[in-house]
Amino acid sequence: MTYLLHDKKIIYIRPHKTASTTIADHCAELPESESLTKNTGMGNQSWEEICKHISPKIWNTYTKVASIRNPWEQTASYYLQYYTNTSMYEMLLTREFHRSTISHFLFDKEKCVVDKVIRFENLVEDTKTILGIDISKHSNSSNAFDYRKVHTRATREYIRNVCAPEIKEFGYEY
């Protein structure tokens, strides 16, 4: 769910497999939060989809925040949760995969549209600093695997190409 945190003037955009469910669950507990999912029936929404459901005034005046994750790690997590009955390379060719990338959620061509990011690898600190939410009791251990063991040379390169904007913007490496 996308959340509008009206008291903080924040739009929280939540790409797949970036600890966004944990963060969204905490956002839901805030008194001035509004879930766009309740209004639209949509789950995770890209910035373009969000713009269709909120006023330009809110979009232009609120701080846009999103959680992000190393694209190779994010893809491995996505694959292991949803696509274990097919090869990873076949999964990479699906529309669903392309619509799950950070590049799809947060970029207008090569330009990132969010103001601040919560990095998966610095989750507790960034969430506290940026959103003022303490998720230190977060117990999901989805980071307990080595994403490098899931990829082949072909999948590494495919992700490097598809996710080039986010890799460049956020300095991720394999």
Side-chain angles (χ1 to χ4, degrees), residues 15-17 69-80 82-83 86-105 151 154-164 166-167:
H16 299 280
K17 306 307 291 174
R69 187 176 189 177
N70 176 306
W72 292 279
E73 184 178 10
Q74 178 194 21
T75 302
S77 180
Y78 187 76
Y79 171 72
L80 292 171
Y82 299 114
Y83 283 91
T86 187
S87 75
M88 179 176 281
Y89 198 81
E90 289 173 311
M91 185 269 305
L92 293 176
L93 300 177
T94 66
R95 182 173 186 245
E96 289 80 18
F97 164 71
H98 285 265
R99 293 180 51 82
S100 72
T101 66
I102 300 293
S103 296
H104 171 76
F105 268 80
H151 290 287
T155 63
R156 284 193 311 262
E157 290 308 309
Y158 190 88
I159 292 166
R160 186 179 318 281
N161 291 326
V162 169
C163 300
E166 67 201 73
I167 291 168

Side-chain angles (χ1 to χ4, degrees), residues 7-8 43 66 82 125 133 138 141:
D7 58 333
K8 300 172 190 267
Y82 299 114
E125 295 86 4
I133 296 172
H138 172 62
S141 60

Side-chain angles (χ1 to χ4, degrees), residues 44-90:
N44 298 54
Q45 302 161 328
S46 72
W47 74 272
E48 290 179 295
E49 293 163 336
I50 293 165
C51 283
K52 295 175 186 175
H53 299 286
I54 63 172
S55 73
K57 180 180 180 186
I58 289 176
W59 180 260
N60 292 325
T61 59
Y62 280 35
T63 300
K64 276 78 69 192
V65 174
S67 45
I68 62 169
R69 187 176 189 177
N70 176 306
W72 292 279
E73 184 178 10
Q74 178 194 21
T75 302
S77 180
Y78 187 76
Y79 171 72
L80 292 171
Q81 182 170 0
Y82 299 114
Y83 283 91
T84 53
N85 292 330
T86 187
S87 75
M88 179 176 281
Y89 198 81
E90 289 173 311

Side-chain angles (χ1 to χ4, degrees), residues 93-158:
L93 300 177
T94 66
R95 182 173 186 245
E96 289 80 18
F97 164 71
H98 285 265
R99 293 180 51 82
S100 72
T101 66
I102 300 293
S103 296
H104 171 76
F105 268 80
L106 308 180
F107 283 76
D108 182 5
K109 297 183 176 96
E110 300 289 318
K111 183 180 182 311
C112 184
V113 301
V114 299
D115 304 304
K116 297 180 180 182
V117 294
I118 297 169
R119 289 180 177 267
F120 186 86
E121 55 273 16
N122 199 31
L123 184 63
V124 173
E125 295 86 4
D126 286 357
T127 304
K128 190 167 197 164
T129 301
I130 296 169
L131 297 178
I133 296 172
D134 181 5
I135 62 165
S136 59
K137 292 182 173 90
H138 172 62
S139 63
N140 186 346
S141 60
S142 64
N143 200 21
F145 70 96
D146 183 357
Y147 67 89
R148 290 173 185 90
K149 292 182 179 179
V150 178
H151 290 287
T152 65
R153 178 178 286 170
T155 63
R156 284 193 311 262
E157 290 308 309
Y158 190 88

